[in-house]
Amino acid sequence: MMPTNNKKYVQVLVDINKLGTKTFSYLIPNNLRNEIKIGQAVSIPFGRRKQSLKAYVVGFNDYLEEGIKAKEIDEIIESEPLFSLEYLNLLSWVSTYYFCDIQSVLNIALPQKFFEKNVKKYRKPKIKSKLDEIEKTDSTTSLSPAQKKVYDEIKKVNAPTSLLYGITGSGKTEIYFKLIEDTIKQGKNVLFLAPEIALVSQLTIRTIKRFSKDKVAIWHSSISEAKKYETWQKLRNNEIKILFGARSAVFAPIQNLGLIIIDEEHDQSYKQTMPNPRYNAKDVAKKLVELYGAKLVLGSATPSIESYYEAINSNSLFVLKERYNNAHLPKVVVIDMKEERAQKNYTPFSKTLIKNVDETIENGHQVIFLINRRGFATYTQCMECGEILYCKKCAIPLIYHSQDDSYKCHYCNFELHNPKCPKCASTAFEHFGLGVQKVETMAKSVFSKYKIARLDSDSLTKKNEHIEILEDFQKGNIDILIGTQMIAKGLDNKNVTLVGVINADLSFNLPDYRSSERGFSLLTQVAGRSGRGENEGKVIFQTYNCENVFLKNAQEQNFEDFYENEIELRQMLDYPPFSKMIRIILSSKNELRAQKSASEIEFALCDYLKKLSLDEEILLLGPSPCVINKIKEEYRFNILIKNKLGFNGHKTILRFLKSIKLPDDIKMVVDIDPSDIL
Ligand code: ADP
Ligand code: ZN
Ligand code: ZN
């Protein structure tokens, strides 16, 4: 993709109706040869009818493959480039590292609307954003001695990436603000990532109150195309100083990048699981700071095992062990639900929890319930023959949703109304297990005196609804907020003094090597929502398994102990950070064929590694049926690769993957650094 001096052909990126973006080669007319640049919009004749389309310059060639005849481009329509060569280099790195074609990367990076012809005529977005109403109100605060110390250390560190491990409420955000201020003073710009849209909005509001709103912008998947277009232009013109966003904002074309902050860095939503590019924004950010000579600050109260390990080994770990103003960490009580059942309490709420809810609300404080499962129940069983309702296409039980009386598959969105038992045709079903909707329904009867609201991805039907629910909660109009993991993160409501985790075991029971890390982090994070103000907080974990060591670590909010236990396991089993993983999934409608092709690939890879004498450093697991062995009528088998040779090992494996030829009925997904192996 490097430009050459006497370039003859240009590669352009076009959006062809419904086919997505593709690159094509065109001849450069003599009169444009000195003007044409990477990132410019040009118009090209396309197809037999020579329809004129808008395209972007992404590269140059001196010759074409034999047999290809190129047409000439018509003209340059926007001479100011939409993106730079460095930017393309980043995208090209993403496509190589994540083993996907550059087009899929460009697809996610460049909003589709940019290809529309008269994009120039875009009206300014009319919908007034909530953010427009917020004004600068806060004066700058000064850091506490503990914060100041960490801030000074981060300023001094040489490593490009630092990890700020600060317990919940320790004042990490204040340190970010100080770093942002410094970066802006140096005339450089900041990218600030948070894992979820709700958190992005909250942080943006907090930042606007501190820094005023001009020069602040937001970028995530729910921002309108028109708004994105406007923001893109502003970024390009260096008019934005701080860009907030979720994972995809890592592809926004920020000029003059000085600092990237990734808050809640442990969060799995930084990794795109599908479709391609299956990138991790954290790793793309590392590449970005390398390209720009900028700094990356990762922050979390429960760092990922990998980031913590890396930080220790590169002397870039910075720790805040106390809450700001020495507020106490909340006290965590574990309740054995087996005993509740023995005493004939069949509700999801233990007596201790009920008593504490009453006390908390009578004192004028607020409560959070966490139940980390969407929907109403876990599974539905026929009352005549015992059959369990499964998705027809996936090996997954259907989940009943009370709000629209439907049965949904959480993998393929298949939906069923008024089902009949597939075995005996009965229509009598019972719903077992607890989902957030059932907890809401039951809470409304047990706690009928109080105002109760629910926040999860199914309750977000209207745009901005999450902001409204959160605002209502912030204003004190809601006594009990019930939610899935969405409410565990970032919420800073000083009036919350009780958090009840309805079923703490849910988080630990997935057959995945990251399951305890996730469980520990979720419980610690949600506990951290309690007692953030002057009043002491309390947390109640309800469990059927009091013996769980990780639950005990979470109860004590002891990350170090958790880390020591976990890192030992990872080392023993060669999991990250002691290896980099690649997961290959082979799928087909025909189960035997999927299995056969997985075996063949595994065999060939094994052979390839043996010949290179790398079979001790690059380990293979499988092939085996995936934990979820069927999705959308396709049977799935996977091979796991644990590469202990770093980037060189990675390149070797990619070379092998490139050589694979598959029959038409077999699909292959390559997931680099997978976030789960389900
Ligand atoms: P974290 O991000 O680590 O959870 P926050 O930055 O949200 O913590 O800080 C917790 C609370 O303490 C917030 O309400 C914040 O306003 C307050 N706080 C933290 N540091 C300071 C400071 N230096 N001056 C005033 N208030 C602070
Ligand atoms: Zn039946
Ligand atoms: Zn399904």
Side-chain angles (χ1 to χ4, degrees), residues 361-402:
I361 300 177
E362 271 156 29
N363 283 332
H365 299 151
Q366 288 162 283
V367 179
I368 288 175
F369 284 170
L370 172 81
I371 169 81
N372 197 23
R373 191 180 267 140
R374 284 170 56 209
F376 186 82
T378 334
Y379 63 94
T380 300
Q381 196 168 26
C382 170
M383 287 166 73
E384 304 283 341
C385 76
E387 181 83 355
I388 288 169
L389 285 185
Y390 271 82
C391 172
K392 284 200 184 93
K393 303 175 195 163
C394 312
I396 287 286
L398 290 172
I399 308 278
Y400 179 63
H401 282 238
S402 56

mmCIF file of all heavy atoms in Angstrom, residues 361-402:
data_model
loop_
_atom_site.group_PDB
_atom_site.id
_atom_site.type_symbol
_atom_site.label_atom_id
_atom_site.label_comp_id
_atom_site.label_asym_id
_atom_site.label_seq_id
_atom_site.Cartn_x
_atom_site.Cartn_y
_atom_site.Cartn_z
ATOM 1 N N ILE A 361 -33.912 1.354 52.479
ATOM 2 C CA ILE A 361 -34.836 2.306 51.864
ATOM 3 C C ILE A 361 -35.492 3.195 52.918
ATOM 4 O O ILE A 361 -35.701 4.386 52.692
ATOM 5 C CB ILE A 361 -35.863 1.563 50.979
ATOM 6 C CG1 ILE A 361 -35.118 0.795 49.882
ATOM 7 C CG2 ILE A 361 -36.847 2.541 50.340
ATOM 8 C CD1 ILE A 361 -35.973 -0.040 48.977
ATOM 9 N N GLU A 362 -35.759 2.615 54.104
ATOM 10 C CA GLU A 362 -36.300 3.453 55.176
ATOM 11 C C GLU A 362 -35.332 4.568 55.560
ATOM 12 O O GLU A 362 -35.745 5.660 55.941
ATOM 13 C CB GLU A 362 -36.642 2.592 56.412
ATOM 14 C CG GLU A 362 -38.067 2.052 56.352
ATOM 15 C CD GLU A 362 -38.246 0.783 57.186
ATOM 16 O OE1 GLU A 362 -37.513 0.633 58.190
ATOM 17 O OE2 GLU A 362 -39.100 -0.045 56.806
ATOM 18 N N ASN A 363 -34.034 4.294 55.419
ATOM 19 C CA ASN A 363 -33.034 5.334 55.696
ATOM 20 C C ASN A 363 -32.872 6.314 54.549
ATOM 21 O O ASN A 363 -31.980 7.156 54.568
ATOM 22 C CB ASN A 363 -31.670 4.684 55.963
ATOM 23 C CG ASN A 363 -31.605 4.090 57.351
ATOM 24 O OD1 ASN A 363 -32.291 4.559 58.262
ATOM 25 N ND2 ASN A 363 -30.814 3.044 57.512
ATOM 26 N N GLY A 364 -33.689 6.156 53.511
ATOM 27 C CA GLY A 364 -33.604 7.076 52.379
ATOM 28 C C GLY A 364 -32.517 6.730 51.377
ATOM 29 O O GLY A 364 -32.152 7.543 50.534
ATOM 30 N N HIS A 365 -31.997 5.529 51.447
ATOM 31 C CA HIS A 365 -30.953 5.135 50.502
ATOM 32 C C HIS A 365 -31.514 4.225 49.418
ATOM 33 O O HIS A 365 -32.686 3.870 49.439
ATOM 34 C CB HIS A 365 -29.793 4.466 51.240
ATOM 35 C CG HIS A 365 -29.141 5.367 52.233
ATOM 36 N ND1 HIS A 365 -28.522 4.917 53.369
ATOM 37 C CD2 HIS A 365 -29.044 6.723 52.274
ATOM 38 C CE1 HIS A 365 -28.058 5.947 54.057
ATOM 39 N NE2 HIS A 365 -28.361 7.054 53.411
ATOM 40 N N GLN A 366 -30.632 3.864 48.483
ATOM 41 C CA GLN A 366 -31.081 3.072 47.332
ATOM 42 C C GLN A 366 -30.366 1.727 47.227
ATOM 43 O O GLN A 366 -29.300 1.538 47.819
ATOM 44 C CB GLN A 366 -30.872 3.883 46.045
ATOM 45 C CG GLN A 366 -31.841 5.036 45.908
ATOM 46 C CD GLN A 366 -31.348 6.050 44.898
ATOM 47 O OE1 GLN A 366 -30.458 6.845 45.195
ATOM 48 N NE2 GLN A 366 -31.907 5.999 43.695
ATOM 49 N N VAL A 367 -30.998 0.854 46.419
ATOM 50 C CA VAL A 367 -30.562 -0.541 46.360
ATOM 51 C C VAL A 367 -30.336 -0.967 44.905
ATOM 52 O O VAL A 367 -31.051 -0.529 44.006
ATOM 53 C CB VAL A 367 -31.650 -1.454 46.973
ATOM 54 C CG1 VAL A 367 -31.243 -2.924 46.901
ATOM 55 C CG2 VAL A 367 -31.966 -1.044 48.408
ATOM 56 N N ILE A 368 -29.332 -1.819 44.697
ATOM 57 C CA ILE A 368 -29.127 -2.450 43.385
ATOM 58 C C ILE A 368 -29.216 -3.963 43.551
ATOM 59 O O ILE A 368 -28.647 -4.516 44.496
ATOM 60 C CB ILE A 368 -27.739 -2.084 42.814
ATOM 61 C CG1 ILE A 368 -27.696 -0.623 42.369
ATOM 62 C CG2 ILE A 368 -27.368 -2.986 41.648
ATOM 63 C CD1 ILE A 368 -26.326 -0.160 41.899
ATOM 64 N N PHE A 369 -29.959 -4.622 42.643
ATOM 65 C CA PHE A 369 -29.932 -6.089 42.576
ATOM 66 C C PHE A 369 -29.245 -6.491 41.279
ATOM 67 O O PHE A 369 -29.605 -6.007 40.209
ATOM 68 C CB PHE A 369 -31.351 -6.684 42.516
ATOM 69 C CG PHE A 369 -32.089 -6.682 43.820
ATOM 70 C CD1 PHE A 369 -33.455 -6.999 43.836
ATOM 71 C CD2 PHE A 369 -31.461 -6.403 45.028
ATOM 72 C CE1 PHE A 369 -34.165 -7.014 45.020
ATOM 73 C CE2 PHE A 369 -32.172 -6.413 46.225
ATOM 74 C CZ PHE A 369 -33.530 -6.719 46.221
ATOM 75 N N LEU A 370 -28.303 -7.407 41.383
ATOM 76 C CA LEU A 370 -27.690 -7.955 40.168
ATOM 77 C C LEU A 370 -28.190 -9.371 39.951
ATOM 78 O O LEU A 370 -28.144 -10.201 40.857
ATOM 79 C CB LEU A 370 -26.165 -7.991 40.320
ATOM 80 C CG LEU A 370 -25.425 -8.723 39.186
ATOM 81 C CD1 LEU A 370 -25.268 -7.815 37.982
ATOM 82 C CD2 LEU A 370 -24.060 -9.225 39.629
ATOM 83 N N ILE A 371 -28.693 -9.636 38.750
ATOM 84 C CA ILE A 371 -28.959 -11.020 38.367
ATOM 85 C C ILE A 371 -28.473 -11.150 36.936
ATOM 86 O O ILE A 371 -29.029 -10.561 36.017
ATOM 87 C CB ILE A 371 -30.444 -11.416 38.538
ATOM 88 C CG1 ILE A 371 -30.734 -12.760 37.879
ATOM 89 C CG2 ILE A 371 -31.398 -10.374 38.038
ATOM 90 C CD1 ILE A 371 -30.339 -13.929 38.714
ATOM 91 N N ASN A 372 -27.379 -11.857 36.783
ATOM 92 C CA ASN A 372 -26.695 -11.791 35.497
ATOM 93 C C ASN A 372 -27.262 -12.762 34.480
ATOM 94 O O ASN A 372 -26.553 -13.604 33.939
ATOM 95 C CB ASN A 372 -25.202 -12.031 35.679
ATOM 96 C CG ASN A 372 -24.446 -11.567 34.458
ATOM 97 O OD1 ASN A 372 -24.948 -10.724 33.711
ATOM 98 N ND2 ASN A 372 -23.282 -12.124 34.221
ATOM 99 N N ARG A 373 -28.549 -12.652 34.216
ATOM 100 C CA ARG A 373 -29.107 -13.467 33.149
ATOM 101 C C ARG A 373 -30.293 -12.761 32.542
ATOM 102 O O ARG A 373 -31.214 -12.343 33.252
ATOM 103 C CB ARG A 373 -29.513 -14.821 33.696
ATOM 104 C CG ARG A 373 -29.838 -15.788 32.584
ATOM 105 C CD ARG A 373 -30.235 -17.121 33.119
ATOM 106 N NE ARG A 373 -29.127 -18.054 33.233
ATOM 107 C CZ ARG A 373 -28.986 -18.892 34.264
ATOM 108 N NH1 ARG A 373 -29.830 -18.855 35.250
ATOM 109 N NH2 ARG A 373 -27.988 -19.756 34.283
ATOM 110 N N ARG A 374 -30.244 -12.620 31.237
ATOM 111 C CA ARG A 374 -31.346 -11.961 30.548
ATOM 112 C C ARG A 374 -32.578 -12.853 30.561
ATOM 113 O O ARG A 374 -32.489 -14.050 30.792
ATOM 114 C CB ARG A 374 -30.964 -11.697 29.090
ATOM 115 C CG ARG A 374 -30.024 -10.545 28.872
ATOM 116 C CD ARG A 374 -29.526 -10.546 27.440
ATOM 117 N NE ARG A 374 -30.630 -10.525 26.494
ATOM 118 C CZ ARG A 374 -30.576 -11.065 25.273
ATOM 119 N NH1 ARG A 374 -29.484 -11.679 24.872
ATOM 120 N NH2 ARG A 374 -31.610 -10.984 24.476
ATOM 121 N N GLY A 375 -33.711 -12.250 30.251
ATOM 122 C CA GLY A 375 -34.941 -13.026 30.098
ATOM 123 C C GLY A 375 -35.603 -13.310 31.426
ATOM 124 O O GLY A 375 -35.259 -12.743 32.466
ATOM 125 N N PHE A 376 -36.588 -14.211 31.390
ATOM 126 C CA PHE A 376 -37.411 -14.485 32.558
ATOM 127 C C PHE A 376 -36.881 -15.694 33.318
ATOM 128 O O PHE A 376 -36.670 -15.646 34.519
ATOM 129 C CB PHE A 376 -38.847 -14.739 32.088
ATOM 130 C CG PHE A 376 -39.829 -14.884 33.205
ATOM 131 C CD1 PHE A 376 -40.365 -13.761 33.829
ATOM 132 C CD2 PHE A 376 -40.229 -16.144 33.626
ATOM 133 C CE1 PHE A 376 -41.274 -13.897 34.860
ATOM 134 C CE2 PHE A 376 -41.141 -16.281 34.661
ATOM 135 C CZ PHE A 376 -41.662 -15.158 35.282
ATOM 136 N N ALA A 377 -36.654 -16.767 32.583
ATOM 137 C CA ALA A 377 -36.226 -18.007 33.218
ATOM 138 C C ALA A 377 -35.015 -18.554 32.483
ATOM 139 O O ALA A 377 -34.543 -17.968 31.517
ATOM 140 C CB ALA A 377 -37.364 -19.013 33.182
ATOM 141 N N THR A 378 -34.485 -19.696 32.941
ATOM 142 C CA THR A 378 -33.316 -20.279 32.310
ATOM 143 C C THR A 378 -33.703 -21.307 31.269
ATOM 144 O O THR A 378 -33.071 -21.447 30.243
ATOM 145 C CB THR A 378 -32.459 -21.013 33.348
ATOM 146 O OG1 THR A 378 -32.689 -20.435 34.599
ATOM 147 C CG2 THR A 378 -31.032 -20.944 32.966
ATOM 148 N N TYR A 379 -34.755 -22.076 31.586
ATOM 149 C CA TYR A 379 -35.223 -23.039 30.603
ATOM 150 C C TYR A 379 -36.698 -23.323 30.843
ATOM 151 O O TYR A 379 -37.254 -23.000 31.894
ATOM 152 C CB TYR A 379 -34.395 -24.323 30.636
ATOM 153 C CG TYR A 379 -34.452 -25.090 31.931
ATOM 154 C CD1 TYR A 379 -35.368 -26.128 32.111
ATOM 155 C CD2 TYR A 379 -33.590 -24.787 32.979
ATOM 156 C CE1 TYR A 379 -35.413 -26.837 33.305
ATOM 157 C CE2 TYR A 379 -33.627 -25.486 34.172
ATOM 158 C CZ TYR A 379 -34.540 -26.519 34.335
ATOM 159 O OH TYR A 379 -34.600 -27.201 35.511
ATOM 160 N N THR A 380 -37.328 -23.920 29.848
ATOM 161 C CA THR A 380 -38.760 -24.180 29.898
ATOM 162 C C THR A 380 -38.974 -25.669 29.666
ATOM 163 O O THR A 380 -38.417 -26.232 28.731
ATOM 164 C CB THR A 380 -39.457 -23.367 28.799
ATOM 165 O OG1 THR A 380 -39.192 -21.985 29.051
ATOM 166 C CG2 THR A 380 -40.943 -23.607 28.784
ATOM 167 N N GLN A 381 -39.785 -26.279 30.536
ATOM 168 C CA GLN A 381 -39.955 -27.723 30.469
ATOM 169 C C GLN A 381 -41.420 -28.075 30.269
ATOM 170 O O GLN A 381 -42.307 -27.437 30.851
ATOM 171 C CB GLN A 381 -39.456 -28.340 31.771
ATOM 172 C CG GLN A 381 -39.227 -29.820 31.689
ATOM 173 C CD GLN A 381 -38.466 -30.337 32.898
ATOM 174 O OE1 GLN A 381 -38.533 -29.739 33.965
ATOM 175 N NE2 GLN A 381 -37.750 -31.440 32.737
ATOM 176 N N CYS A 382 -41.654 -29.087 29.440
ATOM 177 C CA CYS A 382 -43.011 -29.576 29.217
ATOM 178 C C CYS A 382 -43.490 -30.290 30.487
ATOM 179 O O CYS A 382 -42.796 -31.136 31.039
ATOM 180 C CB CYS A 382 -43.030 -30.543 28.036
ATOM 181 S SG CYS A 382 -44.589 -31.413 27.874
ATOM 182 N N MET A 383 -44.676 -29.946 30.945
ATOM 183 C CA MET A 383 -45.159 -30.534 32.185
ATOM 184 C C MET A 383 -45.750 -31.927 31.979
ATOM 185 O O MET A 383 -46.013 -32.653 32.932
ATOM 186 C CB MET A 383 -46.185 -29.615 32.847
ATOM 187 C CG MET A 383 -45.519 -28.388 33.460
ATOM 188 S SD MET A 383 -46.688 -27.118 33.890
ATOM 189 C CE MET A 383 -47.455 -27.855 35.316
ATOM 190 N N GLU A 384 -45.971 -32.309 30.723
ATOM 191 C CA GLU A 384 -46.516 -33.643 30.440
ATOM 192 C C GLU A 384 -45.388 -34.677 30.316
ATOM 193 O O GLU A 384 -45.454 -35.746 30.887
ATOM 194 C CB GLU A 384 -47.310 -33.638 29.127
ATOM 195 C CG GLU A 384 -48.440 -32.627 29.060
ATOM 196 C CD GLU A 384 -49.665 -33.085 29.852
ATOM 197 O OE1 GLU A 384 -49.781 -34.291 30.129
ATOM 198 O OE2 GLU A 384 -50.486 -32.210 30.190
ATOM 199 N N CYS A 385 -44.355 -34.336 29.519
ATOM 200 C CA CYS A 385 -43.350 -35.369 29.214
ATOM 201 C C CYS A 385 -41.939 -34.976 29.641
ATOM 202 O O CYS A 385 -41.014 -35.768 29.484
ATOM 203 C CB CYS A 385 -43.365 -35.707 27.723
ATOM 204 S SG CYS A 385 -42.576 -34.464 26.697
ATOM 205 N N GLY A 386 -41.755 -33.787 30.172
ATOM 206 C CA GLY A 386 -40.434 -33.418 30.680
ATOM 207 C C GLY A 386 -39.475 -32.864 29.636
ATOM 208 O O GLY A 386 -38.357 -32.471 29.953
ATOM 209 N N GLU A 387 -39.897 -32.837 28.374
ATOM 210 C CA GLU A 387 -39.049 -32.302 27.306
ATOM 211 C C GLU A 387 -38.689 -30.832 27.590
ATOM 212 O O GLU A 387 -39.525 -30.070 28.076
ATOM 213 C CB GLU A 387 -39.809 -32.406 25.966
ATOM 214 C CG GLU A 387 -39.055 -31.911 24.755
ATOM 215 C CD GLU A 387 -38.105 -32.947 24.185
ATOM 216 O OE1 GLU A 387 -37.962 -34.030 24.786
ATOM 217 O OE2 GLU A 387 -37.492 -32.656 23.142
ATOM 218 N N ILE A 388 -37.442 -30.458 27.274
ATOM 219 C CA ILE A 388 -37.031 -29.062 27.450
ATOM 220 C C ILE A 388 -37.038 -28.374 26.088
ATOM 221 O O ILE A 388 -36.619 -28.961 25.087
ATOM 222 C CB ILE A 388 -35.639 -28.991 28.109
ATOM 223 C CG1 ILE A 388 -35.800 -29.407 29.579
ATOM 224 C CG2 ILE A 388 -35.046 -27.595 28.017
ATOM 225 C CD1 ILE A 388 -34.520 -29.640 30.305
ATOM 226 N N LEU A 389 -37.534 -27.162 26.039
ATOM 227 C CA LEU A 389 -37.612 -26.449 24.757
ATOM 228 C C LEU A 389 -36.231 -25.945 24.339
ATOM 229 O O LEU A 389 -35.600 -25.173 25.060
ATOM 230 C CB LEU A 389 -38.557 -25.251 24.862
ATOM 231 C CG LEU A 389 -40.055 -25.524 24.879
ATOM 232 C CD1 LEU A 389 -40.808 -24.197 24.864
ATOM 233 C CD2 LEU A 389 -40.470 -26.382 23.678
ATOM 234 N N TYR A 390 -35.803 -26.382 23.157
ATOM 235 C CA TYR A 390 -34.525 -25.939 22.614
ATOM 236 C C TYR A 390 -34.758 -25.117 21.358
ATOM 237 O O TYR A 390 -35.758 -25.277 20.674
ATOM 238 C CB TYR A 390 -33.653 -27.147 22.253
ATOM 239 C CG TYR A 390 -32.797 -27.613 23.399
ATOM 240 C CD1 TYR A 390 -33.321 -28.436 24.391
ATOM 241 C CD2 TYR A 390 -31.471 -27.212 23.506
ATOM 242 C CE1 TYR A 390 -32.538 -28.853 25.448
ATOM 243 C CE2 TYR A 390 -30.681 -27.629 24.565
ATOM 244 C CZ TYR A 390 -31.216 -28.450 25.534
ATOM 245 O OH TYR A 390 -30.439 -28.851 26.590
ATOM 246 N N CYS A 391 -33.779 -24.261 21.042
ATOM 247 C CA CYS A 391 -33.817 -23.604 19.749
ATOM 248 C C CYS A 391 -33.673 -24.677 18.678
ATOM 249 O O CYS A 391 -32.863 -25.593 18.820
ATOM 250 C CB CYS A 391 -32.678 -22.597 19.631
ATOM 251 S SG CYS A 391 -32.527 -21.921 17.973
ATOM 252 N N LYS A 392 -34.470 -24.539 17.618
ATOM 253 C CA LYS A 392 -34.430 -25.554 16.556
ATOM 254 C C LYS A 392 -33.080 -25.556 15.850
ATOM 255 O O LYS A 392 -32.658 -26.525 15.267
ATOM 256 C CB LYS A 392 -35.514 -25.252 15.519
ATOM 257 C CG LYS A 392 -36.892 -25.621 15.989
ATOM 258 C CD LYS A 392 -37.837 -25.775 14.792
ATOM 259 C CE LYS A 392 -39.250 -26.043 15.244
ATOM 260 N NZ LYS A 392 -40.057 -24.808 15.370
ATOM 261 N N LYS A 393 -32.404 -24.411 15.877
ATOM 262 C CA LYS A 393 -31.176 -24.308 15.092
ATOM 263 C C LYS A 393 -29.906 -24.401 15.931
ATOM 264 O O LYS A 393 -28.832 -24.606 15.393
ATOM 265 C CB LYS A 393 -31.160 -22.973 14.345
ATOM 266 C CG LYS A 393 -32.360 -22.762 13.459
ATOM 267 C CD LYS A 393 -32.292 -21.369 12.888
ATOM 268 C CE LYS A 393 -33.602 -20.944 12.283
ATOM 269 N NZ LYS A 393 -33.634 -19.484 12.118
ATOM 270 N N CYS A 394 -30.019 -24.168 17.249
ATOM 271 C CA CYS A 394 -28.824 -24.137 18.084
ATOM 272 C C CYS A 394 -28.979 -25.118 19.249
ATOM 273 O O CYS A 394 -30.079 -25.428 19.646
ATOM 274 C CB CYS A 394 -28.596 -22.749 18.682
ATOM 275 S SG CYS A 394 -28.730 -21.416 17.499
ATOM 276 N N ALA A 395 -27.866 -25.549 19.774
ATOM 277 C CA ALA A 395 -27.926 -26.448 20.924
ATOM 278 C C ALA A 395 -28.065 -25.639 22.208
ATOM 279 O O ALA A 395 -27.226 -25.706 23.092
ATOM 280 C CB ALA A 395 -26.680 -27.311 20.964
ATOM 281 N N ILE A 396 -29.144 -24.872 22.298
ATOM 282 C CA ILE A 396 -29.283 -23.920 23.398
ATOM 283 C C ILE A 396 -30.748 -23.913 23.834
ATOM 284 O O ILE A 396 -31.646 -23.854 22.987
ATOM 285 C CB ILE A 396 -28.910 -22.508 22.862
ATOM 286 C CG1 ILE A 396 -27.403 -22.392 22.650
ATOM 287 C CG2 ILE A 396 -29.405 -21.410 23.753
ATOM 288 C CD1 ILE A 396 -26.642 -22.272 23.951
ATOM 289 N N PRO A 397 -31.016 -23.977 25.144
ATOM 290 C CA PRO A 397 -32.423 -23.893 25.569
ATOM 291 C C PRO A 397 -32.997 -22.512 25.233
ATOM 292 O O PRO A 397 -32.296 -21.513 25.318
ATOM 293 C CB PRO A 397 -32.351 -24.076 27.093
ATOM 294 C CG PRO A 397 -30.984 -24.567 27.384
ATOM 295 C CD PRO A 397 -30.094 -24.142 26.269
ATOM 296 N N LEU A 398 -34.275 -22.499 24.871
ATOM 297 C CA LEU A 398 -34.931 -21.211 24.611
ATOM 298 C C LEU A 398 -35.229 -20.524 25.944
ATOM 299 O O LEU A 398 -35.539 -21.173 26.929
ATOM 300 C CB LEU A 398 -36.242 -21.443 23.858
ATOM 301 C CG LEU A 398 -36.084 -21.906 22.420
ATOM 302 C CD1 LEU A 398 -37.438 -22.288 21.835
ATOM 303 C CD2 LEU A 398 -35.430 -20.816 21.573
ATOM 304 N N ILE A 399 -35.125 -19.204 25.930
ATOM 305 C CA ILE A 399 -35.338 -18.443 27.157
ATOM 306 C C ILE A 399 -36.672 -17.702 27.060
ATOM 307 O O ILE A 399 -36.903 -16.962 26.101
ATOM 308 C CB ILE A 399 -34.208 -17.413 27.359
ATOM 309 C CG1 ILE A 399 -32.833 -18.071 27.250
ATOM 310 C CG2 ILE A 399 -34.389 -16.667 28.671
ATOM 311 C CD1 ILE A 399 -32.334 -18.757 28.473
ATOM 312 N N TYR A 400 -37.512 -17.906 28.061
ATOM 313 C CA TYR A 400 -38.808 -17.234 28.064
ATOM 314 C C TYR A 400 -38.636 -15.751 28.412
ATOM 315 O O TYR A 400 -37.917 -15.403 29.338
ATOM 316 C CB TYR A 400 -39.732 -17.899 29.076
ATOM 317 C CG TYR A 400 -41.083 -17.233 29.161
ATOM 318 C CD1 TYR A 400 -41.926 -17.209 28.044
ATOM 319 C CD2 TYR A 400 -41.512 -16.617 30.336
ATOM 320 C CE1 TYR A 400 -43.157 -16.585 28.096
ATOM 321 C CE2 TYR A 400 -42.751 -15.992 30.395
ATOM 322 C CZ TYR A 400 -43.571 -15.973 29.275
ATOM 323 O OH TYR A 400 -44.776 -15.346 29.329
ATOM 324 N N HIS A 401 -39.279 -14.879 27.623
ATOM 325 C CA HIS A 401 -39.270 -13.444 27.913
ATOM 326 C C HIS A 401 -40.683 -13.012 28.239
ATOM 327 O O HIS A 401 -41.568 -13.083 27.389
ATOM 328 C CB HIS A 401 -38.731 -12.649 26.715
ATOM 329 C CG HIS A 401 -37.246 -12.702 26.599
ATOM 330 N ND1 HIS A 401 -36.443 -11.590 26.611
ATOM 331 C CD2 HIS A 401 -36.405 -13.754 26.497
ATOM 332 C CE1 HIS A 401 -35.173 -11.957 26.514
ATOM 333 N NE2 HIS A 401 -35.125 -13.257 26.441
ATOM 334 N N SER A 402 -40.893 -12.563 29.472
ATOM 335 C CA SER A 402 -42.265 -12.240 29.880
ATOM 336 C C SER A 402 -42.762 -10.959 29.227
ATOM 337 O O SER A 402 -43.947 -10.789 28.992
ATOM 338 C CB SER A 402 -42.340 -12.120 31.401
ATOM 339 O OG SER A 402 -41.407 -11.175 31.857
#
